[in-house]
């Protein structure tokens, strides 16, 4: 009997990553999760108490450090790269947002290229941020598809006066472009798929306290918080396009398993046209 394949899921303690882990283990795979510390590994273990035999960990303290994933990629069959710095308030967008996004993405590709020739596909959790044109606003009449790219450049992302949110949106685009360029220029043994969800809502299966909620889960919590008053208006959601986290996880699984998905971007969104466009 053939041994189950092992999938590396980076950023294993994350909101989306937890559902990706569950999707792959439920489909019969083993998962190796990369986390920053042993303490974080223990936390993820507690999320999946029934999966002790199918779940292992690699400690990667700093994903932007050169060679960070060299050990983590060894002997795995596929890679789901979810780890990426979030949108934070900072006075240095280049140092704290843009460069970490690019370097973290390129590092996983470099490590796989050097040390994991058995890997034939890497799936990267990109974002609708990599597609959106903020200068158009809601852009009435336009239907976003996988052929759309955020027009912001690296130089715009790191320039003075660019907000941290704008820098984050641009960083997702620049990091994804860098990934496609790497696979093309280095003639890798693996192909690439990118998943591009907008706002991601759904069950939070790994947070143990409200202080640990991700942004969208915190938005939902605001509606039922003990601090909320019945007279308070319903708060606006952060963005007008959304998707269920369980669908995002299944998209990663299918992107890995379906051979024709290689070399494609997939816009995963509720009530949106889910076509496939060549990049």
């Amino acid at each position: 009997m053939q041994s189950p394949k092992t999938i590396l899921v980076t950023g294993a303690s994350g909101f989306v990553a937890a559902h990706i882990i569950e999707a792959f283990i439920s489909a019969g795979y083993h998962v190796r999760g990369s986390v920053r510390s042993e303490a974080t590994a223990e936390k993820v273990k507690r999320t999946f108490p029934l999966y002790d035999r199918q779940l292992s960990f690699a400690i990667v303290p700093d994903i932007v450090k050169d060679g960070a994933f060299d050990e983590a990629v060894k002997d795995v069959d596929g890679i789901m790269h979810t780890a990426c710095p979030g949108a934070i308030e900072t006075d240095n967008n280049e140092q704290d947002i843009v460069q970490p996004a690019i370097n973290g993405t390129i590092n996983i590709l470099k490590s796989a290229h050097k040390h994991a020739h058995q890997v034939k596909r890497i799936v990267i959790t990109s974002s609708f941020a990599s597609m959106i044109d903020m200068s158009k606003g809601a852009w009435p009449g336009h239907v976003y598809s996988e052929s759309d790219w955020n027009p912001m450049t690296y130089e715009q992302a790191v320039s003075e006066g660019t907000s941290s949110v704008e820098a984050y949106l641009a960083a997702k685009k620049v990091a994804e472009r860098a990934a496609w360029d790497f696979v093309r220029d280095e003639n890798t043994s693996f192909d690439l798929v990118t998943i591009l969800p907008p706002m991601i809502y759904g069950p939070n299966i790994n947070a143990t306290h409200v202080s640990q909620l991700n942004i969208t889960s915190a938005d939902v919590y605001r509606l039922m918080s003990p601090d909320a008053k019945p007279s308070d208006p319903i708060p606006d959601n952060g963005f007008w396009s959304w998707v269920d986290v369980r669908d995002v996880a299944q998209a990663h699984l299918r992107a890995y398993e379906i051979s024709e998905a290689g070399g494609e971007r997939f816009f995963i969104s509720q009530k949106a046209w889910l076509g496939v466009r060549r990049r």
Side-chain angles (χ1 to χ4, degrees):
M1 184 175 179
Q2 190 175 11
S3 299
K5 290 185 177 181
T6 298
I7 305 298
L8 174 65
V9 178
T10 68
S13 63
F15 170 56
V16 175
H19 285 273
I20 293 174
I21 291 170
E22 187 169 56
F24 273 91
I25 291 180
S26 296
Y29 294 85
H30 285 190
V31 170
R32 179 184 300 166
S34 80
V35 291
R36 292 183 179 181
S37 66
E38 292 286 355
T40 305
E42 289 300 321
K43 174 190 171 186
V44 179
K45 285 181 184 178
R46 290 194 295 272
T47 301
F48 301 104
L50 301 180
Y51 298 156
D52 185 60
R53 294 184 178 181
Q54 295 96 343
L55 182 59
S56 61
F57 295 92
I59 307 302
V60 182
D62 185 0
I63 68 171
V64 304
K65 184 179 179 181
D66 189 41
F69 295 102
D70 283 358
E71 292 300 318
V73 301
K74 292 180 179 178
D75 303 319
V76 301
D77 299 286
I79 298 172
M80 304 292 116
H81 181 56
T82 78
C84 182
I88 59 173
E89 287 298 327
T90 176
D91 294 326
N92 193 327
N93 289 335
E94 183 170 29
Q95 174 183 295
D96 298 330
I97 298 176
V98 183
Q99 276 297 322
I102 297 170
N103 292 341
T105 298
I106 294 303
N107 278 345
I108 190 70
L109 301 179
K110 283 183 176 179
S111 291
H113 187 47
K114 292 178 181 178
H115 303 290
H117 294 161
Q118 76 283 355
V119 170
K120 301 305 178 186
R121 176 159 299 167
I122 295 179
V123 181
I124 293 178
T125 312
S126 186
S127 170
F128 184 55
S130 188
M131 301 167 59
I132 192 170
D133 186 343
M134 292 294 288
S135 70
K136 303 291 187 180
W139 206 351
H142 179 72
V143 178
Y144 277 100
S145 75
E146 290 86 348
S147 62
D148 284 298
W149 284 92
N150 184 333
M152 287 189 70
T153 64
Y154 181 96
E155 290 72 23
Q156 289 173 315
V158 302
S159 66
E160 187 175 350
T162 298
S163 71
S164 296
V165 171
E166 290 172 321
Y168 170 76
L169 299 178
K172 295 295 288 188
K173 173 270 185 90
V174 175
E176 188 190 344
R177 275 291 196 192
W180 287 115
D181 290 346
F182 182 92
V183 171
R184 179 197 64 206
D185 297 343
E186 299 298 327
N187 191 27
T188 58
S189 59
F190 54 83
D191 63 17
L192 183 66
V193 182
T194 57
I195 305 296
L196 303 106
M199 297 293 284
I200 304 174
Y201 293 96
N204 194 311
I205 61 177
N206 62 347
T208 57
H209 190 270
V210 293
S211 63
Q212 298 173 340
L213 292 175
N214 62 298
I215 292 173
T216 54
S217 296
D219 279 348
V220 174
Y221 176 74
R222 285 186 303 166
L223 301 177
M224 60 189 75
S225 168
D227 298 327
K229 299 177 182 179
S231 58
D232 288 345
I234 297 175
D236 292 335
N237 61 322
F239 192 62
W240 41 262
S241 185
W242 58 275
V243 66
D244 191 294
V245 66
R246 292 160 292 191
D247 291 333
V248 175
Q250 287 298 316
H252 284 74
L253 175 62
R254 292 174 64 81
Y256 176 72
E257 292 186 329
I258 298 174
S259 59
E260 293 84 357
E264 303 287 356
R265 312 171 80 209
F266 291 95
F267 176 29
I268 310 299
S269 180
Q270 177 69 14
K271 297 188 183 299
W273 177 70
L274 298 180
V276 179
R277 293 289 183 86
R278 294 282 179 183
R279 58 185 175 83

